[in-house]
PDB file of all heavy atoms in Angstrom:
ATOM      1  N   PRO O1353     -25.782   4.328  15.341  1.00 89.00           N
ATOM      2  CA  PRO O1353     -25.019   4.380  16.591  1.00 89.00           C
ATOM      3  C   PRO O1353     -23.707   5.135  16.389  1.00 89.00           C
ATOM      4  O   PRO O1353     -23.109   5.075  15.326  1.00 89.00           O
ATOM      5  CB  PRO O1353     -24.762   2.921  16.938  1.00 89.00           C
ATOM      6  CG  PRO O1353     -25.091   2.119  15.718  1.00 89.00           C
ATOM      7  CD  PRO O1353     -25.928   2.971  14.829  1.00 89.00           C
ATOM      8  N   ALA O1354     -23.290   5.793  17.448  1.00 90.00           N
ATOM      9  CA  ALA O1354     -22.034   6.551  17.414  1.00 90.00           C
ATOM     10  C   ALA O1354     -20.848   5.595  17.391  1.00 90.00           C
ATOM     11  O   ALA O1354     -20.884   4.547  18.036  1.00 90.00           O
ATOM     12  CB  ALA O1354     -21.949   7.459  18.620  1.00 90.00           C
ATOM     13  N   PRO O1355     -19.799   5.964  16.649  1.00 91.00           N
ATOM     14  CA  PRO O1355     -18.609   5.100  16.633  1.00 91.00           C
ATOM     15  C   PRO O1355     -17.926   5.107  17.996  1.00 91.00           C
ATOM     16  O   PRO O1355     -18.033   6.070  18.755  1.00 91.00           O
ATOM     17  CB  PRO O1355     -17.718   5.727  15.566  1.00 91.00           C
ATOM     18  CG  PRO O1355     -18.197   7.118  15.412  1.00 91.00           C
ATOM     19  CD  PRO O1355     -19.647   7.137  15.824  1.00 91.00           C
ATOM     20  N   GLU O1356     -17.227   4.035  18.283  1.00 93.00           N
ATOM     21  CA  GLU O1356     -16.462   3.941  19.524  1.00 93.00           C
ATOM     22  C   GLU O1356     -15.337   4.976  19.506  1.00 93.00           C
ATOM     23  O   GLU O1356     -14.649   5.113  18.489  1.00 93.00           O
ATOM     24  CB  GLU O1356     -15.863   2.540  19.689  1.00 93.00           C
ATOM     25  CG  GLU O1356     -16.863   1.486  20.075  1.00 93.00           C
ATOM     26  CD  GLU O1356     -17.407   1.690  21.478  1.00 93.00           C
ATOM     27  OE1 GLU O1356     -16.625   1.993  22.403  1.00 93.00           O
ATOM     28  OE2 GLU O1356     -18.635   1.585  21.630  1.00 93.00           O
ATOM     29  N   PRO O1357     -15.138   5.693  20.602  1.00 88.00           N
ATOM     30  CA  PRO O1357     -14.025   6.656  20.630  1.00 88.00           C
ATOM     31  C   PRO O1357     -12.686   5.918  20.607  1.00 88.00           C
ATOM     32  O   PRO O1357     -12.579   4.794  21.084  1.00 88.00           O
ATOM     33  CB  PRO O1357     -14.216   7.400  21.954  1.00 88.00           C
ATOM     34  CG  PRO O1357     -15.132   6.560  22.764  1.00 88.00           C
ATOM     35  CD  PRO O1357     -15.901   5.687  21.837  1.00 88.00           C
ATOM     36  N   ARG O1358     -11.692   6.576  20.027  1.00 91.00           N
ATOM     37  CA  ARG O1358     -10.344   5.994  20.029  1.00 91.00           C
ATOM     38  C   ARG O1358      -9.341   7.079  20.374  1.00 91.00           C
ATOM     39  O   ARG O1358      -9.517   8.243  20.036  1.00 91.00           O
ATOM     40  CB  ARG O1358     -10.010   5.334  18.696  1.00 91.00           C
ATOM     41  CG  ARG O1358      -9.902   6.278  17.533  1.00 91.00           C
ATOM     42  CD  ARG O1358      -9.566   5.526  16.240  1.00 91.00           C
ATOM     43  NE  ARG O1358      -9.351   6.455  15.167  1.00 91.00           N
ATOM     44  CZ  ARG O1358      -8.169   6.953  14.817  1.00 91.00           C
ATOM     45  NH1 ARG O1358      -7.090   6.587  15.466  1.00 91.00           N
ATOM     46  NH2 ARG O1358      -8.058   7.819  13.829  1.00 91.00           N
ATOM     47  N   ARG O1359      -8.297   6.699  21.069  1.00 89.00           N
ATOM     48  CA  ARG O1359      -7.256   7.641  21.474  1.00 89.00           C
ATOM     49  C   ARG O1359      -6.400   7.997  20.278  1.00 89.00           C
ATOM     50  O   ARG O1359      -5.973   7.127  19.532  1.00 89.00           O
ATOM     51  CB  ARG O1359      -6.395   7.023  22.578  1.00 89.00           C
ATOM     52  CG  ARG O1359      -5.293   7.959  23.036  1.00 89.00           C
ATOM     53  CD  ARG O1359      -4.626   7.527  24.322  1.00 89.00           C
ATOM     54  NE  ARG O1359      -5.491   7.637  25.462  1.00 89.00           N
ATOM     55  CZ  ARG O1359      -5.834   8.788  26.063  1.00 89.00           C
ATOM     56  NH1 ARG O1359      -5.393   9.921  25.597  1.00 89.00           N
ATOM     57  NH2 ARG O1359      -6.603   8.792  27.110  1.00 89.00           N
ATOM     58  N   VAL O1360      -6.165   9.312  20.087  1.00 90.00           N
ATOM     59  CA  VAL O1360      -5.334   9.771  18.977  1.00 90.00           C
ATOM     60  C   VAL O1360      -4.040  10.416  19.473  1.00 90.00           C
ATOM     61  O   VAL O1360      -3.191  10.786  18.669  1.00 90.00           O
ATOM     62  CB  VAL O1360      -6.099  10.746  18.057  1.00 90.00           C
ATOM     63  CG1 VAL O1360      -7.258  10.028  17.369  1.00 90.00           C
ATOM     64  CG2 VAL O1360      -6.588  11.956  18.825  1.00 90.00           C
ATOM     65  N   ALA O1361      -3.900  10.575  20.783  1.00 88.00           N
ATOM     66  CA  ALA O1361      -2.677  11.127  21.382  1.00 88.00           C
ATOM     67  C   ALA O1361      -2.429  10.406  22.703  1.00 88.00           C
ATOM     68  O   ALA O1361      -3.368   9.936  23.350  1.00 88.00           O
ATOM     69  CB  ALA O1361      -2.813  12.629  21.626  1.00 88.00           C
ATOM     70  N   LYS O1362      -1.168  10.337  23.076  1.00 90.00           N
ATOM     71  CA  LYS O1362      -0.827   9.729  24.362  1.00 90.00           C
ATOM     72  C   LYS O1362      -1.454  10.537  25.493  1.00 90.00           C
ATOM     73  O   LYS O1362      -1.630  11.748  25.385  1.00 90.00           O
ATOM     74  CB  LYS O1362       0.689   9.695  24.551  1.00 90.00           C
ATOM     75  CG  LYS O1362       1.399   8.749  23.627  1.00 90.00           C
ATOM     76  CD  LYS O1362       2.893   8.791  23.871  1.00 90.00           C
ATOM     77  CE  LYS O1362       3.624   7.895  22.896  1.00 90.00           C
ATOM     78  NZ  LYS O1362       5.082   8.047  23.015  1.00 90.00           N
ATOM     79  N   GLU O1363      -1.777   9.866  26.585  1.00 90.00           N
ATOM     80  CA  GLU O1363      -2.373  10.535  27.743  1.00 90.00           C
ATOM     81  C   GLU O1363      -1.477  11.665  28.241  1.00 90.00           C
ATOM     82  O   GLU O1363      -1.956  12.758  28.541  1.00 90.00           O
ATOM     83  CB  GLU O1363      -2.626   9.521  28.870  1.00 90.00           C
ATOM     84  CG  GLU O1363      -3.236  10.129  30.126  1.00 90.00           C
ATOM     85  CD  GLU O1363      -4.625  10.713  29.919  1.00 90.00           C
ATOM     86  OE1 GLU O1363      -5.325  10.309  28.982  1.00 90.00           O
ATOM     87  OE2 GLU O1363      -5.013  11.600  30.710  1.00 90.00           O
ATOM     88  N   LYS O1364      -0.174  11.430  28.305  1.00 86.00           N
ATOM     89  CA  LYS O1364       0.753  12.459  28.779  1.00 86.00           C
ATOM     90  C   LYS O1364       0.696  13.700  27.886  1.00 86.00           C
ATOM     91  O   LYS O1364       0.699  14.825  28.366  1.00 86.00           O
ATOM     92  CB  LYS O1364       2.178  11.911  28.824  1.00 86.00           C
ATOM     93  CG  LYS O1364       3.201  12.903  29.323  1.00 86.00           C
ATOM     94  CD  LYS O1364       4.594  12.297  29.375  1.00 86.00           C
ATOM     95  CE  LYS O1364       5.607  13.315  29.841  1.00 86.00           C
ATOM     96  NZ  LYS O1364       6.968  12.779  29.849  1.00 86.00           N
ATOM     97  N   THR O1365       0.632  13.482  26.571  1.00 87.00           N
ATOM     98  CA  THR O1365       0.545  14.595  25.631  1.00 87.00           C
ATOM     99  C   THR O1365      -0.741  15.374  25.854  1.00 87.00           C
ATOM    100  O   THR O1365      -0.740  16.612  25.875  1.00 87.00           O
ATOM    101  CB  THR O1365       0.606  14.082  24.180  1.00 87.00           C
ATOM    102  OG1 THR O1365       1.803  13.322  24.013  1.00 87.00           O
ATOM    103  CG2 THR O1365       0.576  15.220  23.187  1.00 87.00           C
ATOM    104  N   SER O1366      -1.834  14.664  26.041  1.00 90.00           N
ATOM    105  CA  SER O1366      -3.128  15.303  26.280  1.00 90.00           C
ATOM    106  C   SER O1366      -3.099  16.138  27.557  1.00 90.00           C
ATOM    107  O   SER O1366      -3.575  17.277  27.579  1.00 90.00           O
ATOM    108  CB  SER O1366      -4.220  14.240  26.362  1.00 90.00           C
ATOM    109  OG  SER O1366      -5.457  14.824  26.650  1.00 90.00           O
ATOM    110  N   VAL O1367      -2.529  15.594  28.615  1.00 88.00           N
ATOM    111  CA  VAL O1367      -2.432  16.321  29.888  1.00 88.00           C
ATOM    112  C   VAL O1367      -1.611  17.591  29.708  1.00 88.00           C
ATOM    113  O   VAL O1367      -2.002  18.681  30.143  1.00 88.00           O
ATOM    114  CB  VAL O1367      -1.826  15.425  30.990  1.00 88.00           C
ATOM    115  CG1 VAL O1367      -1.437  16.235  32.225  1.00 88.00           C
ATOM    116  CG2 VAL O1367      -2.797  14.317  31.368  1.00 88.00           C
ATOM    117  N   GLN O1368      -0.460  17.480  29.044  1.00 84.00           N
ATOM    118  CA  GLN O1368       0.410  18.641  28.859  1.00 84.00           C
ATOM    119  C   GLN O1368      -0.254  19.715  28.005  1.00 84.00           C
ATOM    120  O   GLN O1368      -0.150  20.902  28.299  1.00 84.00           O
ATOM    121  CB  GLN O1368       1.754  18.215  28.268  1.00 84.00           C
ATOM    122  CG  GLN O1368       2.591  17.445  29.262  1.00 84.00           C
ATOM    123  CD  GLN O1368       3.840  16.847  28.650  1.00 84.00           C
ATOM    124  OE1 GLN O1368       3.878  16.504  27.475  1.00 84.00           O
ATOM    125  NE2 GLN O1368       4.878  16.725  29.461  1.00 84.00           N
ATOM    126  N   LEU O1369      -0.946  19.310  26.973  1.00 90.00           N
ATOM    127  CA  LEU O1369      -1.637  20.275  26.119  1.00 90.00           C
ATOM    128  C   LEU O1369      -2.725  20.999  26.919  1.00 90.00           C
ATOM    129  O   LEU O1369      -2.867  22.220  26.837  1.00 90.00           O
ATOM    130  CB  LEU O1369      -2.235  19.586  24.898  1.00 90.00           C
ATOM    131  CG  LEU O1369      -2.988  20.496  23.931  1.00 90.00           C
ATOM    132  CD1 LEU O1369      -2.082  21.605  23.398  1.00 90.00           C
ATOM    133  CD2 LEU O1369      -3.556  19.683  22.789  1.00 90.00           C
ATOM    134  N   ARG O1370      -3.479  20.248  27.712  1.00 92.00           N
ATOM    135  CA  ARG O1370      -4.521  20.874  28.530  1.00 92.00           C
ATOM    136  C   ARG O1370      -3.915  21.816  29.566  1.00 92.00           C
ATOM    137  O   ARG O1370      -4.467  22.876  29.850  1.00 92.00           O
ATOM    138  CB  ARG O1370      -5.404  19.813  29.168  1.00 92.00           C
ATOM    139  CG  ARG O1370      -6.352  19.188  28.140  1.00 92.00           C
ATOM    140  CD  ARG O1370      -7.296  18.163  28.718  1.00 92.00           C
ATOM    141  NE  ARG O1370      -6.625  16.879  28.799  1.00 92.00           N
ATOM    142  CZ  ARG O1370      -6.515  16.139  29.893  1.00 92.00           C
ATOM    143  NH1 ARG O1370      -7.037  16.539  31.017  1.00 92.00           N
ATOM    144  NH2 ARG O1370      -5.885  14.995  29.866  1.00 92.00           N
ATOM    145  N   GLN O1371      -2.747  21.475  30.106  1.00 89.00           N
ATOM    146  CA  GLN O1371      -2.066  22.374  31.042  1.00 89.00           C
ATOM    147  C   GLN O1371      -1.664  23.669  30.341  1.00 89.00           C
ATOM    148  O   GLN O1371      -1.824  24.759  30.899  1.00 89.00           O
ATOM    149  CB  GLN O1371      -0.829  21.698  31.641  1.00 89.00           C
ATOM    150  CG  GLN O1371      -1.151  20.648  32.672  1.00 89.00           C
ATOM    151  CD  GLN O1371       0.091  19.907  33.152  1.00 89.00           C
ATOM    152  OE1 GLN O1371       1.071  19.769  32.421  1.00 89.00           O
ATOM    153  NE2 GLN O1371       0.046  19.430  34.378  1.00 89.00           N
TER     154      GLN O1371
END
Side-chain angles (χ1 to χ4, degrees):
E1356 286 292 317
R1358 66 180 185 93
R1359 180 167 291 285
V1360 295
K1362 291 179 183 173
E1363 179 64 23
K1364 181 179 179 182
T1365 304
S1366 177
V1367 168
Q1368 289 172 330
L1369 180 59
R1370 286 182 277 126
Q1371 286 175 331

